[in-house]
Amino acid sequence: MAQTTHELDALSSLRDSYALHLSATRSEKTARIYLAALDALIRHLESKAMPTGARAVRREHVESYFAERRETVKPTTLSVEFRALQQFWKWALDEEEIDRSPMERMRPPRVPDSPVQVVSIDEFRRLLKAASGRDLADRRDTAILLLLFDTGIRRGELVGMEVEDLDLRERVAHVTGKAGHRRVVRFGSRTAVAIDRYLRLRRAHPHAQSPALWIGQDGPLTASGLAQLIARRCRAAGLERLHPHQFRHTFAHEWLASGGQEGDLMRLAGWRSPQMLRRYGASLADERARAAYRSPADRL
């Protein structure tokens, strides 16, 4: 039996084509997030007996989805899903699957400002002390911690580094960011020395021929392995668990605090939107305001 117009138009029928588009234009992680949001919308529409044909979905149907999600997820998650679904409808419009996006002129959910969590100098010194041994794991972890602190690179960018991505003489590294974008980051002399110490021990490792820069007992370091590495060093240092992304927060915060230019920070951090830059700028302004505070009661 031939498919009906409604079946051809169904969101579920368009999903595979959209997934193919995402695989060619977005990172694997981003594609996964975008498809999860679309799947959640489809489930909501079906559970509420609302239209599931792309041309039949209206603004009120999408708003119903966000109203329900608002009760169960954080504002930041809701904002991510909003942008994800915007991209689906934009693709459907470009592909002439719809004439108008049901999210046209919809206002994104408001995300309350929250303090940017950074790693203090004291905390970082304690982390380095916890990794101050001389075996390969200690040398590797010291180099990783310094590189994260010195450059603000993403977790995926760090674990994806290869030996040939380094130039210790020039103190630069080539990293691959979101959607395969390559950029060069610079690091300091102390970080270069730490990496060199690690590389000298790495030559005798069973996996020394691996192109991956960071290796452990079982082979190349993974993203989960990096998180475990930092958690282990935090425990040894007597610190609350730190997330790898907090080093990126710290790099951006310190750059702006030392008078660095915002445009330069965007290029160094690999941001293509000023949204994150505004967040760090607001965090720094809050810190300056707290530092300038003088108690009115104490002046009585």
Side-chain angles (χ1 to χ4, degrees):
M1 182 187 296
Q3 289 181 300
T4 66
T5 302
H6 175 72
E7 289 172 329
L8 292 171
D9 181 45
L11 297 180
S12 56
S13 296
L14 296 177
R15 186 191 187 280
D16 287 346
S17 296
Y18 183 52
L20 187 63
H21 163 74
L22 291 174
S23 69
T25 60
R26 305 285 180 171
S27 69
E28 182 179 345
K29 179 181 177 181
T30 299
R32 191 164 57 246
I33 292 171
Y34 283 15
L35 288 173
L38 177 59
D39 290 339
L41 174 63
I42 293 172
R43 288 194 299 270
H44 174 81
L45 296 175
E46 290 175 344
S47 69
K48 302 297 183 183
M50 292 178 177
T52 56
R55 293 180 184 273
V57 175
R58 296 290 179 260
R59 174 170 175 162
E60 58 266 27
H61 304 138
V62 181
E63 287 179 334
S64 168
Y65 167 75
F66 284 118
E68 183 175 275
R69 292 291 284 166
R70 190 174 289 111
E71 302 299 320
T72 59
V73 300
K74 296 178 180 179
T76 50
T77 302
L78 200 65
S79 177
V80 169
E81 293 183 356
F82 184 92
R83 294 196 302 272
L85 290 175
Q86 266 189 328
Q87 291 303 309
F88 167 73
W89 295 113
K90 180 180 182 299
W91 170 82
L93 188 62
D94 291 342
E95 293 293 314
E96 299 183 350
E97 296 289 347
I98 58 174
D99 298 317
R100 290 183 64 181
S101 166
M103 294 182 69
E104 184 178 283
R105 299 180 182 175
M106 276 184 65
R107 301 177 73 87
R110 182 179 177 276
V111 180
D113 290 335
S114 58
V116 174
Q117 298 297 315
V118 300
V119 182
S120 71
I121 295 297
D122 176 65
E123 289 174 327
F124 188 67
R125 286 172 176 159
R126 290 165 64 183
L127 276 177
L128 288 181
K129 186 176 181 180
S132 59
R134 294 177 177 270
D135 63 16
L136 183 132
D138 290 322
R139 292 284 169 87
R140 180 200 62 195
D141 294 0
T142 295
I144 285 174
L145 290 169
L146 283 166
L147 190 63
L148 287 173
F149 197 77
D150 231 3
T151 65
I153 58 176
R154 299 177 177 92
R155 176 180 58 181
E157 293 170 343
L158 182 128
V159 299
M161 290 179 68
E162 298 187 348
V163 176
E164 64 180 19
D165 292 330
L166 286 173
D167 185 335
L168 293 184
R169 179 174 297 179
E170 296 296 326
R171 299 199 302 277
V172 297
H174 297 261
V175 297
T176 304
K178 293 183 176 180
H181 294 297
R182 294 273 288 177
R183 72 180 190 284
V184 178
V185 296
R186 182 172 291 278
F187 48 85
S189 299
R190 183 175 180 180
T191 300
V193 169
I195 295 173
D196 179 66
R197 285 174 175 165
Y198 160 68
L199 288 175
R200 279 185 274 141
L201 286 184
R202 185 187 183 281
R203 294 173 192 150
H205 194 279
H207 296 282
Q209 299 307 311
S210 170
L213 173 59
W214 310 110
I215 54 177
Q217 183 176 350
D218 300 320
L221 183 70
T222 63
S224 62
L226 174 62
Q228 293 168 20
L229 175 162
I230 293 175
R232 185 168 61 251
R233 296 303 180 182
C234 285
R235 286 194 299 271
L239 298 173
E240 294 290 332
R241 184 166 182 170
L242 298 171
H243 189 278
H245 209 70
Q246 285 177 249
F247 292 91
R248 185 165 169 82
H249 294 174
T250 304
F251 172 76
H253 184 85
E254 292 295 329
W255 178 271
L256 293 174
S258 62
Q261 297 297 308
E262 293 183 347
D264 291 339
L265 176 57
M266 282 192 65
R267 295 184 67 85
L268 289 170
W271 289 322
R272 300 192 172 266
S273 164
Q275 180 181 357
M276 289 302 295
L277 187 62
R278 288 195 296 268
R279 184 182 177 196
Y280 289 113
S283 175
L284 188 59
D286 289 344
E287 183 175 285
R288 286 197 302 267
R290 288 192 296 270
Y293 171 77
R294 298 295 181 270
S295 168
D298 289 348
R299 296 199 297 269
L300 292 176

